[in-house]
């Protein structure tokens, strides 16, 4: 099926999705989750084909993004069930005003229509995006990367089973078969068919969509996330937070890519950082982190000298750029110059310093004494997420069901004229 043909099918299904009541949508979502688990063997077999094709061409952390296993499929199904349990955003009255004329004006949430998602090698995005779009009353067009296409096709086949079992149109969920750049360009310019385009992936993909799309786009997050260790920090807490933010899953957008250390504690803290992330991890058989050091940090601990682009790079790997800064003001200045507006954190026991940092850092999520890895729809109580928006219009941060709706004004009168 051509991309144009499936766009037509999705557009044809959007009215049925917009009119579906909450009970029907939830029934479909639960059936989709059941079908994922029932078709687990098919999905894992398809994923193994994707993994085999990618071996030797993809880093270990990117292979981890691509890989599925029984636990991950169960997690995907559970994510869909959690979306089913969330309040239905469609029809919610966002504001109610009774005017002196007697008219009643209600700002009411309504579906977007057709939501298209372009994403790269993360099969779980397939089920997350479909569940959120469908619960929000929209049809969904998915365009995954070629590395994960077999996995995505097997997942979509299962999800369509569940959708149809609940009496909703299977055409409301489409997977683009063409994985060349041409299909991405078609989605970007599908005026009249795509009501919202959401890119999820690297900086190149997101920039291409923002620069070339003629349909509305929500810019999602390249994550150059910073953790600033203040002079008043609990240093053991800081080490725990940094290791979690860098190492728990380095291939995701909320992983830390830069560590900023207050000059007043750099001589004491940086050797501890090297021991925790490099020597200690190697001693217990874990992957060590390569530290890319600015000149001040390089005078204190050994590591790789930071290159000119290292503080502007989303490594998505066991690599951490490290810089010594002059207090919180220096940290804020560096973040302002280098952040992508995703997630940035301060570790400190000083409440006033923390408050200034949280107020001055203009990112979608700012943290005090917690890992940036919490920037996630599930962790924020939104169910699974569509992506992390780093823009300021309409949606910012993890995008859940409310961010996937638009609104219209419903006006009721009794014959009033103006």
């Amino acid at each position: 099926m051509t991309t144009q043909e499936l766009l037509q099918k999705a557009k044809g299904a959007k009215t049925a999705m917009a009119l579906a009541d909450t009970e029907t949508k939830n029934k479909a979502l639960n059936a989709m989750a059941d079908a994922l688990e029932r078709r687990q063997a098919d999905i894992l077999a398809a994923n193994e084909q994707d993994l085999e094709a990618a071996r030797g061409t993809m880093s270990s952390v990117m292979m981890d993004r691509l890989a599925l296993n029984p636990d991950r499929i169960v997690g995907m199904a559970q994510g869909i069930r959690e979306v089913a349990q969330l309040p239905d955003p469609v029809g919610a009255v966002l504001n109610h005003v009774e005017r002196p004329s007697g008219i009643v004006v209600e700002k009411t949430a309504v579906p977007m229509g057709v939501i298209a998602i372009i994403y790269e090698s993360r099969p779980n995005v397939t089920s997350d995006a479909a569940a959120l779009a469908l619960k929000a009353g929209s049809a969904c067009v998915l365009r995954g990367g070629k590395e994960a296409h077999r996995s995505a096709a097997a997942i979509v086949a299962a999800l369509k089973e569940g959708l149809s079992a609940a009496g909703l149109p299977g055409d409301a969920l489409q997977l683009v078969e063409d994985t060349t750049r041409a299909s991405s360009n078609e989605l970007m310019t599908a005026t009249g068919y795509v009501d919202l385009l959401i890119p999820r992936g690297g900086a190149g993909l997101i920039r291409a969509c923002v620069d070339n799309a003629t349909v509305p786009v929500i810019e999602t997050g390249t994550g150059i996330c910073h953790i600033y260790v203040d002079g008043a920090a609990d240093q053991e807490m800081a080490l725990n937070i940094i290791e979690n933010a860098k190492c728990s899953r380095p291939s995701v957008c909320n992983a830390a890519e830069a560590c900023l250390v207050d000059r007043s504690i750099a001589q004491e803290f940086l050797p501890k950082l090297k021991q925790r992330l490099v020597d200690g991890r190697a001693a217990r058989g874990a992957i060590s982190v390569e530290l890319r050091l600015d000149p001040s940090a390089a005078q204190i601990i050994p590591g790789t000298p930071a290159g000119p682009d290292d503080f502007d790079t989303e490594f998505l790997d066991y690599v951490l750029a490290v810089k010594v800064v002059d207090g919180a003001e220096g940290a804020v200045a560096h973040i302002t110059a280098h952040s992508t507006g995703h997630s940035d954190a301060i570790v400190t026991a000083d409440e006033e310093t923390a408050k200034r940092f949280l107020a001055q850092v203009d990112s979608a999520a700012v943290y005090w004494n917690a890992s940036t890895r919490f920037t996630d729809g599930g962790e924020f109580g939104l169910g699974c997420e569509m992506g992390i928006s780093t823009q300021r219009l309409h949606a910012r941060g993890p995008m859940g069901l409310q961010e996937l709706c638009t609104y219209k004004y419903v006006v009721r009168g009794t014959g009033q004229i103006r």
Side-chain angles (χ1 to χ4, degrees):
M1 188 187 307
T2 68
T3 304
Q4 182 63 30
E5 288 170 339
L6 65 85
L7 284 169
Q8 291 171 344
K9 287 180 177 292
K11 183 176 180 178
K14 76 176 186 179
T15 299
M17 288 305 306
L19 295 176
D21 60 30
T22 303
E23 181 181 356
T24 301
K25 289 188 291 187
N26 289 345
K27 179 182 176 182
L29 289 168
N30 286 314
M32 288 160 61
D34 293 344
L36 267 187
E37 294 178 333
R38 188 170 59 249
R39 297 281 294 269
Q40 180 182 117
D42 294 339
I43 295 168
L44 290 177
N47 185 244
E48 182 53 40
Q49 288 182 295
D50 284 334
L51 290 169
E52 184 59 34
R55 286 191 177 97
T57 65
M58 190 180 285
S59 69
S60 60
V61 291
M62 296 307 287
M63 289 287 283
D64 178 64
R65 282 170 70 121
L66 175 58
L68 292 174
N69 56 43
D71 286 345
R72 285 188 177 178
I73 292 176
V74 169
M76 289 159 60
Q78 183 56 32
I80 296 174
R81 294 186 180 107
E82 289 172 0
V83 171
Q85 293 171 3
L86 293 172
D88 190 342
V90 178
V93 176
L94 307 176
N95 192 36
H96 175 100
V97 177
E98 297 183 16
R99 301 296 298 150
S101 63
I103 63 170
V104 176
V105 182
E106 290 184 337
K107 183 180 181 181
T108 305
V110 296
M112 283 286 179
V114 175
I115 300 175
I117 304 97
I118 302 176
Y119 58 105
E120 294 175 341
S121 56
R122 292 181 64 185
N124 65 294
V125 173
T126 305
S127 60
D128 288 356
L132 286 166
L134 297 171
K135 177 66 180 269
S138 287
C140 180
V141 177
L142 301 167
R143 194 280 189 190
K146 63 180 183 297
E147 301 88 355
H149 185 71
R150 299 176 188 87
S151 305
I155 292 167
V156 167
L159 298 179
K160 279 177 169 283
E161 278 186 13
L163 194 60
S164 299
L168 291 175
D171 284 346
L173 176 58
Q174 299 289 342
L175 177 68
V176 175
E177 297 174 11
D178 177 11
T179 58
T180 69
R181 187 170 296 177
S183 65
S184 292
N185 291 335
E186 282 189 77
L187 293 182
M188 293 179 206
T189 56
T191 303
Y193 292 93
V194 171
D195 298 293
L196 177 65
L197 175 64
I198 302 173
R200 286 190 62 167
L205 167 64
I206 294 164
R207 180 50 49 198
C209 289
V210 171
D211 289 346
N212 300 312
T214 60
V215 300
V217 176
I218 289 183
E219 184 173 355
T220 62
T222 302
I224 300 178
C225 303
H226 300 78
I227 296 178
Y228 165 58
V229 183
D230 185 54
D234 177 323
Q235 294 187 20
E236 185 64 22
M237 176 194 291
L239 293 170
N240 291 338
I241 288 172
I242 294 167
E243 184 171 24
N244 175 262
K246 177 73 267 183
C247 301
S248 62
R249 201 169 182 193
S251 64
V252 294
C253 63
N254 58 19
E257 303 291 17
C259 176
L260 309 177
V261 180
D262 189 344
R263 194 175 302 278
S264 69
I265 59 165
Q267 290 283 349
E268 177 186 2
F269 182 76
L270 287 175
K272 295 179 182 179
L273 182 70
K274 178 179 179 294
Q275 173 60 33
R276 173 65 72 92
L277 296 186
V278 182
D279 306 329
R281 289 181 62 83
R284 64 178 190 269
I287 299 174
S288 294
V289 176
E290 178 188 351
L291 302 179
R292 304 269 178 95
L293 307 174
D294 85 324
S296 295
Q299 291 180 355
I300 300 172
I301 57 172
T304 304
D309 298 324
D310 281 337
F311 288 97
D312 295 296
T313 298
E314 186 182 30
F315 298 112
L316 301 175
D317 205 344
Y318 290 92
V319 180
L320 183 69
V322 180
K323 181 179 178 65
V324 177
V325 295
D326 293 317
E329 294 303 317
V332 169
H334 177 91
I335 292 170
T336 300
H338 298 275
S339 174
T340 54
H342 194 294
S343 303
D344 297 295
I346 181 173
V347 184
T348 185
D350 187 313
E351 183 175 358
E352 288 306 313
T353 298
K355 286 180 177 179
R356 287 198 306 274
F357 180 95
L358 298 177
Q360 292 173 350
V361 172
D362 186 22
S363 294
V366 287
Y367 290 83
W368 176 16
N369 291 345
S371 169
T372 58
R373 288 281 286 113
F374 283 104
T375 305
D376 173 86
E379 295 293 339
F380 281 14
L382 305 176
C384 49
E385 73 193 26
M386 186 65 83
I388 310 293
S389 170
T390 54
Q391 65 179 33
R392 291 172 177 80
L393 298 178
H394 170 62
R396 197 177 195 197
M399 292 187 296
L401 292 171
Q402 292 182 359
E403 289 74 27
L404 296 181
C405 287
T406 183
Y407 57 83
K408 65 183 177 185
Y409 289 94
V410 178
V411 184
R412 295 180 174 85
T414 55
Q416 289 88 343
I417 59 173
R418 180 177 177 181

